[in-house]
């Protein structure tokens, strides 16, 4: 019981669970259909293949259909789920998992060691071209030692594996279904999760129904056994004002991606509740293109940094609903350097102006600095629109920078054009966030040979690369954390990266929704949810 | 016959143009399918799967050959046949477009006649002002206003989805009202022009009641230019569905088109544009034919 209360308490923002609600939570009601308004602005098509989507909105659905070998606990440690225990070889090159023997997929087939191997082999096969490929790192193969025992071998040590196995992207898919549907599994997902897939209307809605056999909850679950709800319907409502309106008019029971101004008003309304939880991620961060002049010069990068007042930006745009980020990794993520980096630098436009003057960037006739006939312009390509108010942030940043003679040009692009610009190094500033349960996300961003050509970061720093490589091999612990601290400190001190805000994943619900939780990663869980009316 | 030939030419031209524009647009569809975390190798593999690594002419020939066999290709993003996905969107978009045209037409004609009859009086001024206001609003803004009033405050109508007639009301009103402004002005000036024609005086002189003059004689003549713009109007409404379907979270061709365009899902965009152009051409042919019915002079 204490675990349950502690866990629920962490999830439901303080003061929101009224005594009445808490009393109702004692006797959950079985049945009902929960309608969820999903912020699918960044999603174009629903591809429910957990191994093949890096989009957070997809992953918010995956968690209900697919289970993982292990679960990430609130304290960032790893707990058992489909795997009951595991052993890691001393040099961390082989992981042996003991599996539950009572688990079946939604199609009736049995979950066992062969199923785990089939999933990992599928991800590893380069012909499948799956997004989850980097999550398994230097995977060399898996061996079925017994129906309930599987050994995963790596060609070199790779510490992030265990935490990565808790990700939705490494959720376990039915091998029978994989064989039947191939890569069309995304339209016919079959997992072992608390809900099974019913139907999909492309881009519009996803219907799930309770898995009656579900008896393999992770230790973080609020109750054992099947879910309470009969069904969950995810309705994609890309427009944020419509999504909030659908919630306020009670056309949906819950909706995510609630904009700041509505968080404030929903909190004030007793008929609604707000659930908030930090998404474990590499915070939304701006990266000056360190591979393109004049941003190759750390002094110029710092001048840009000091011309920005990020505290003010975040306060004005997010109205106190999102904290300002100091470190690249979000505060709760293992090895985040948030504490040490807080207040480590201050905006100093005067100092910045002096540096730019000294470097020969003098103020031109229209107030923008010029050197050798070239304007000090920062081109910022964008493709996601005003997702999480990011463009509003940029508009304010544009004004702050302009005061110091730096021009910020925001260019809205289709995703195709945007990727092209990143791949061909034709940009000055980029911004992105990336959900991740392990600090290894830093390697995928900042290690030149570990990232795709469309990476938002072009950092190529020998020290950072060495630390990142070493951290991948280091066993989990203080040494590993210290390496990532160094990486984050250098990213900020060298003004490679300007972390902006910490995303608190926000769900607004009507007062009839009980027991809805958000897992440690920051994805919604419907297993314990029920409707009181 | 010549009309059908012309229509086919328009559609073939549209298909080719869209094909070229889409391929010239920057961006690699394979990279978009692969997502944020893919490696260069992954992207190359997907490129081979999609066939976008082949030369442009060979992709074009394959596409046209497919079209002639009724095959619109396979979506890059979902690997489903485009025809099936497109077909599933047709009913909702057609219903939305047709009802919106009906609202636009009804509101435009009725208000245009009232405004013309009460020329320069308060009725005329009010109608002109309100419709000018509505027409100059962006459709998403009017849509949000409608949602706030009728869904959130009054709770009369649902804000999102499609399926029931109640879910159709707000999108139809939004799209219809925005388009009605232009129609109203055309009807108003048309009616005013016709009212000044000598034959109207003759009719009145013959003792016909004003109502009869207006509805049987004046309106018929005033509507001819309105019918002409009807074809264009349907085109406008079709493009309006792009915004309205997204705003009201409805299923439909418009929303599918935007989504597909954003990830450069070329087969889907081509399919949607092809369908829209066929529909547009058909409507305009019908408009051409209907002249004869309204204006007997055209028939001879």
């Amino acid at each position: 019981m204490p675990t349950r209360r502690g866990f629920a308490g962490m999830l439901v923002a303080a003061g929101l669970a009224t005594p009445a609600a808490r009393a109702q939570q004692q006797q959950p009601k079985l049945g009902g259909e929960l309608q969820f308004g999903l912020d699918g602005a960044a999603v174009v098509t629903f591809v429910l293949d957990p191994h093949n989507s890096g989009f957070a909105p997809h992953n918010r659905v995956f968690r209900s259909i697919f289970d993982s070998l292990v679960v990430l606990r609130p304290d960032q440690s790893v707990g058992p789920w489909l795997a009951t225990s595991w052993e890691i070889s001393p040099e961390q090159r082989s992981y042996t998992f003991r599996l539950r023997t009572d688990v079946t997929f939604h199609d009736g087939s049995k979950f066992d060691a062969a199923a785990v191997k089939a999933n990992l082999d599928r991800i590893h096969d380069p012909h499948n071209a799956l997004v989850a490929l980097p999550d398994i790192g230097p995977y060399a193969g898996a061996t079925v030692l017994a129906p309930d025992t599987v050994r995963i071998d790596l060609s070199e040590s790779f510490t992030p594996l265990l935490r990565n196995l808790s990700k939705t992207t490494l959720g376990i898919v039915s091998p029978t279904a994989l064989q039947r549907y191939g890569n069309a599994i995304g339209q016919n997902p079959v997992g072992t999760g608390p809900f099974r897939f019913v139907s999909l209307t492309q881009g519009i809605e996803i219907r799930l129904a309770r898995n009656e056999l579900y008896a393999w909850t992770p230790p973080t679950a609020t109750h054992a056994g099947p879910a309470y709800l009969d069904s969950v319907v995810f309705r994609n409502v890309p427009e944020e004002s419509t999504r909030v309106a659908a919630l306020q008019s009670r056309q949906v029971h819950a909706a995510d991606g609630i904009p700041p101004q509505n968080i404030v008003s929903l909190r004030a309304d007793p008929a609604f509740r707000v659930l908030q939880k930090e998404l474990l991620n590499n915070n939304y961060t701006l990266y000056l293109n360190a591979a393109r002049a004049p941003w190759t010069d750390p002094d110029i990068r710092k001048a840009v940094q000091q011309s920005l007042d990020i505290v003010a930006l975040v306060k004005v745009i997010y109205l106190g609903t999102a904290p300002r980020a100091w470190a690249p990794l979000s505060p709760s993520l293992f090895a985040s350097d948030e504490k040490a980096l807080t207040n480590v630098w201050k905006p100093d436009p005067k100092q910045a102006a002096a540096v730019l003057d000294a470097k020969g960037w003098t103020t031109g006739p229209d107030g923008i600095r010029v050197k050798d006939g070239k304007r000090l312009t920062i081109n910022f390509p964008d493709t996601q629109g005003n997702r999480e108010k990011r463009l509003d942030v940029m508009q304010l940043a544009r004004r702050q920078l302009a005061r110091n003679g730096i021009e910020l040009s925001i260019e809205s692009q289709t995703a195709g054009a945007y990727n092209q610009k990143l791949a061909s190094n034709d940009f000055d500033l980029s911004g992105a966030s990336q959900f991740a349960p392990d600090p290894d996300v830093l390697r995928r961003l900042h290690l030149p040979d570990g990232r795709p050509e469309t990476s938002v970061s072009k950092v190529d720093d020998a020290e950072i690369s060495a630390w990142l490589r070493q951290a991948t091999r280091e066993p989990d612990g203080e040494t590993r954390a210290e390496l990532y601290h160094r990486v984050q400190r250098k990213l900020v001190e060298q003004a490679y990266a300007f972390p902006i805000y910490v995303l608190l994943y926000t769900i607004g619900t009507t007062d009839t929704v009980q027991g809805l939780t958000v897992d440690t990663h920051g994805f919604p869980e419907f297993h314990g949810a029920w409707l009181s009316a | 016959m010549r009309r059908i030939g012309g229509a086919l030419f328009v559609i073939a031209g549209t298909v080719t143009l869209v094909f070229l524009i889409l391929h010239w647009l920057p961006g690699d569809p394979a990279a978009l399918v692969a997502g944020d975390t893919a490696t260069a190798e992954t992207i190359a593999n997907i490129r081979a799967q999609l066939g976008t690594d082949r030369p442009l002419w060979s992709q074009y020939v394959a596409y046209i050959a497919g079209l002639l066999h009724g095959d619109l290709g396979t979506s890059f993003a979902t690997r489903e046949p485009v025809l099936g996905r497109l077909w599933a969107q047709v009913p909702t978009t057609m219903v939305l477009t047709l009802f919106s045209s009906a609202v636009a037409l009804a509101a435009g004609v009725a208000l245009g006649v009232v405004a013309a009859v009460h020329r320069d009086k308060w009725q005329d001024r009010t109608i002109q002002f309100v419709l000018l206001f509505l027409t100059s609003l962006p459709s998403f803004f009017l849509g949000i206003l409608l949602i706030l009033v009728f869904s959130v405050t009054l709770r009369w109508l649902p804000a999102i989805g499609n399926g029931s007639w109640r879910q159709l009301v707000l999108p139809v009103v939004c799209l219809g009202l925005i388009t009605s402004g232009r129609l109203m002005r055309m009807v108003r000036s048309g009616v005013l022009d016709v009212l000044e024609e000598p034959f109207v005086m003759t009719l009145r002189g013959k003792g016909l009641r004003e109502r009869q003059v207006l509805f049987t004689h004046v309106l018929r003549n005033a509507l001819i230019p309105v019918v002409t713009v009807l074809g264009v109007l349907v085109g406008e409404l079709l493009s309006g569905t792009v915004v309205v379907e997204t705003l009201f979270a409805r299923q439909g061709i418009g929303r599918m088109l935007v989504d597909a365009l954003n990830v450069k899902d070329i087969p889907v965009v081509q399919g949607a544009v092809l369908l829209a152009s066929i529909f547009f051409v058909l409507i305009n042919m019908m408009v051409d034919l209907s002249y004869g019915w309204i204006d007997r002079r055209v028939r001879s």
Side-chain angles (χ1 to χ4, degrees):
Chain A
M1 267 336 255
T3 9
R4 179 183 160 174
R5 275 181 55 195
F7 191 58
M10 277 203 57
L11 299 177
V12 181
L16 293 167
T18 59
R22 239 177 280 139
Q24 280 171 329
Q25 240 158 15
Q26 303 300 312
Q27 313 127 346
K29 218 176 79 181
L30 214 69
E33 175 172 285
L34 188 140
Q35 300 258 345
F36 191 89
L38 187 71
D39 173 6
V43 174
V44 170
T45 38
F46 290 131
V47 182
L48 300 178
D49 178 348
H51 305 154
N52 207 21
S53 175
F55 294 117
H58 287 156
N59 283 272
R60 289 181 183 127
V61 179
F62 294 160
R63 188 73 294 165
S64 292
I65 309 174
F66 302 98
D67 294 333
S68 297
L69 284 185
V70 294
V71 69
L72 195 63
R73 291 200 182 98
D75 67 354
Q76 307 281 298
S77 67
V78 173
W81 195 350
L82 294 183
T84 50
S85 64
W86 52 90
E87 270 168 46
I88 303 173
S89 71
E91 74 284 14
Q92 303 194 70
R93 285 182 42 189
S94 75
Y95 291 64
T96 308
F97 289 92
R98 265 300 163 83
L99 308 174
R100 290 186 73 122
T101 52
D102 58 344
V103 179
T104 50
F105 288 102
H106 302 145
D107 60 5
S109 61
K110 212 168 153 40
F111 163 81
D112 56 11
V116 174
K117 179 176 162 54
N119 272 264
L120 295 172
D121 285 347
R122 174 192 186 227
I123 295 166
H124 183 59
D125 185 348
H127 294 291
N128 289 332
L130 297 169
V131 169
L133 183 59
D135 288 334
I136 58 171
Y139 175 79
T143 314
V144 176
L145 299 176
D148 68 340
T149 315
V150 65
R151 193 185 71 224
I152 300 173
D153 293 309
L154 306 172
S155 58
E156 52 187 281
S157 37
F158 182 64
T159 314
L161 182 68
L162 196 59
R163 234 184 242 106
N164 282 354
L165 283 170
S166 75
K167 279 180 84 171
T168 41
T169 51
L170 294 185
I172 304 294
V173 182
S174 156
T176 320
L178 275 176
Q179 218 157 37
R180 194 167 149 202
Y181 300 111
N183 280 342
I185 189 81
Q187 273 77 51
N188 308 276
V190 179
T192 61
F195 291 88
R196 66 186 162 76
F197 171 76
V198 175
S199 69
L200 164 70
T201 311
Q202 204 45 261
I204 305 290
E205 68 170 35
I206 300 162
R207 288 183 170 269
L208 309 180
R210 175 174 52 224
N211 175 5
E212 304 287 354
L213 303 175
Y214 197 67
W216 39 91
T217 47
T220 50
T222 48
H223 75 283
Y228 299 128
L229 294 164
D230 285 341
S231 49
V232 177
V233 182
F234 292 93
R235 304 177 71 170
N236 181 13
V237 189
E239 202 34 61
E240 65 179 25
S241 37
T242 318
R243 200 164 53 245
V244 173
L247 174 68
Q248 288 175 327
S249 61
R250 294 182 168 249
Q251 212 188 331
V252 294
H253 298 99
D256 67 0
I258 307 288
Q261 68 275 22
N262 297 103
I263 295 178
V264 176
S265 64
L266 283 180
R267 274 200 180 131
D269 190 335
F272 296 95
R273 292 195 209 125
V274 176
L275 241 94
Q276 255 189 346
K277 182 137 197 304
E278 174 187 327
L279 178 75
L280 289 189
N281 76 132
N282 188 80
N283 292 318
Y284 181 70
T285 301
L286 298 176
Y287 304 97
L288 267 179
N289 185 349
R292 193 192 207 195
W295 324 112
T296 42
D297 182 344
D299 292 334
I300 303 243
R301 289 200 302 269
K302 271 181 226 172
V304 174
Q305 184 186 42
Q306 289 180 322
S307 306
L308 286 170
D309 185 349
I310 299 174
V311 172
L313 282 182
V314 174
K315 203 177 276 170
V316 169
I317 304 291
Y318 298 100
L319 310 169
T321 60
R324 179 250 158 104
W326 289 94
L329 298 180
S330 67
S332 308
L333 184 56
F334 167 69
S336 165
D337 205 25
E338 182 72 15
K339 266 193 197 130
L341 282 173
T342 301
N343 288 322
V344 84
W345 66 275
K346 272 201 188 82
D348 193 345
K350 276 193 193 133
Q351 166 71 16
V355 168
L356 291 173
D357 284 337
K359 294 268 175 184
W361 289 96
T362 48
T363 312
D366 62 346
I368 298 301
R369 291 169 187 276
V370 184
K371 183 183 177 182
D372 305 329
K374 198 181 170 290
R375 290 161 70 83
L376 192 56
T377 303
I378 298 176
N379 280 308
F380 175 79
D382 171 75
T383 188
Q384 302 204 325
N386 204 13
R387 171 185 173 192
E388 293 165 18
K389 303 272 171 209
R390 290 173 183 178
L391 278 191
D392 294 352
V393 167
M394 295 313 292
Q395 292 293 355
L396 259 188
R398 193 167 64 101
R399 266 189 261 168
Q400 292 184 349
L401 291 171
R403 266 181 234 145
N404 238 355
I406 306 166
E407 184 177 48
L408 177 63
S409 157
I410 302 166
E411 300 166 350
S412 289
Q413 313 270 359
T414 63
Y418 171 80
N419 281 1
Q420 186 104 323
K421 279 190 178 284
L422 291 186
S424 58
N425 207 33
D426 180 20
F427 71 98
D428 299 305
L429 184 74
S430 59
S433 60
Q434 179 65 54
F435 70 87
D438 192 274
D440 188 47
V441 65
L442 291 171
R443 182 180 60 94
R444 296 191 196 177
L445 277 164
H446 305 299
L447 188 66
D449 53 7
R451 65 189 172 207
E453 57 177 3
T454 53
S455 170
V456 285
S457 162
K458 303 292 174 193
V459 171
D460 188 354
D461 183 298
E463 242 181 347
I464 290 181
S465 296
W467 291 332
L468 288 172
R469 283 206 188 88
Q470 197 193 332
T472 319
R473 293 190 300 264
E474 199 63 46
D476 226 19
E478 273 171 40
T479 318
R480 187 167 184 244
E482 174 52 31
L483 287 165
Y484 288 121
H485 288 165
R486 277 189 220 157
V487 171
Q488 292 171 78
R489 234 165 287 161
K490 188 153 193 200
L491 284 170
V492 172
E493 278 167 8
Q494 289 293 306
Y496 285 126
F498 312 146
I500 304 292
Y501 63 92
V502 178
L503 175 68
L504 303 181
Y505 174 63
T506 306
I507 306 177
T509 76
T510 63
D511 50 6
T512 56
V513 177
Q514 319 293 338
L516 179 64
T517 53
V518 180
D519 74 358
T520 309
H521 295 268
F523 296 136
E525 296 173 307
F526 296 89
H527 173 250
W530 54 283
L531 298 170
S532 58
Chain B
M1 212 48 216
R2 256 184 47 205
R3 263 196 196 125
I4 294 175
L8 284 178
F9 180 76
V10 168
I11 292 169
T14 312
V15 166
T16 308
L17 246 163
V18 168
F19 181 90
L20 290 177
I21 291 172
L22 283 176
H23 282 86
W24 280 333
L25 273 180
D28 179 359
L32 295 164
V33 170
D36 304 340
T37 49
T39 58
E41 195 193 359
T42 307
I43 295 169
N45 276 321
I46 295 180
R47 218 174 275 149
Q49 282 175 13
L50 300 180
T52 50
D53 55 344
R54 289 178 298 159
L56 193 60
W57 64 267
S58 121
Q59 291 184 53
Y60 181 70
V61 169
Y63 178 66
I64 296 296
L67 270 193
L68 294 176
H69 292 93
D71 177 11
L72 296 187
T74 311
S75 158
F76 285 171
T78 64
R79 320 277 166 102
E80 287 172 299
V82 171
L83 189 63
R85 266 192 68 192
L86 211 54
W87 209 237
Q89 319 292 323
V90 168
T92 49
T93 300
M94 286 302 133
V95 166
L96 177 63
T97 314
L98 292 177
F99 277 87
S100 304
S101 333
V103 166
L105 210 58
V109 172
L111 295 174
V113 170
V114 172
V117 171
H118 300 277
R119 182 183 188 170
D120 292 336
K121 296 201 188 105
W122 66 267
Q123 295 96 326
D124 183 25
R125 297 239 169 85
T126 314
I127 288 170
Q128 294 230 49
F129 177 79
V130 170
L131 283 197
L132 177 71
F133 179 70
L134 288 178
T135 328
S136 37
L137 284 182
S139 54
F140 66 86
F141 189 74
L142 177 62
I144 289 173
L145 280 184
L146 289 172
I147 288 174
L148 283 180
V149 174
F150 294 100
S151 300
V152 178
T153 311
L154 298 172
R155 298 246 183 112
W156 287 354
L157 293 161
I160 58 164
N162 44 263
S164 76
W165 67 268
R166 295 183 67 235
Q167 283 161 314
L168 195 61
V169 177
L170 291 184
V172 159
V173 168
C174 174
L175 205 52
L177 277 188
I178 281 188
T179 345
S180 67
R182 227 173 53 164
L183 269 177
M184 183 279 290
R185 261 173 289 151
M186 285 200 70
V187 172
R188 179 180 176 273
S189 63
V191 170
L192 283 178
D193 285 348
V194 179
L195 277 176
E196 276 165 23
E197 299 259 345
F199 82 88
V200 174
M201 223 179 312
T202 317
L203 289 172
R204 282 185 183 142
K206 278 166 75 180
L208 246 64
R209 268 183 298 172
E210 193 58 30
R211 192 172 281 250
Q212 224 172 339
V213 174
L214 196 63
F215 289 106
T216 14
H217 300 278
V218 174
L219 207 52
R220 169 167 237 140
N221 286 289
L223 280 187
I224 295 170
V226 174
V227 173
T228 321
V229 295
L230 217 56
V232 184
L233 204 76
V234 168
E236 247 171 58
L237 283 169
L238 267 180
S239 59
T241 59
V242 169
V243 173
V244 168
E245 283 174 352
T246 306
L247 180 66
F248 291 94
R250 290 176 64 79
Q251 219 176 329
I253 296 171
R255 183 162 168 202
M256 192 168 122
L257 183 67
V258 188
D259 289 351
L261 198 57
N262 206 23
V263 287
K264 248 196 132 180
D265 193 342
I266 294 174
V268 172
V269 178
Q270 276 168 339
V273 172
L274 177 68
L275 197 74
S277 59
I278 290 175
F279 184 65
F280 186 69
V281 165
L282 277 180
I283 288 284
N284 278 285
M285 275 172 73
M286 276 157 65
V287 167
D288 278 359
L289 295 173
S290 69
Y291 287 154
W293 177 71
I294 298 176
D295 186 347
R296 291 185 188 148
R297 282 168 301 179
V298 180
R299 234 186 299 182
S300 47

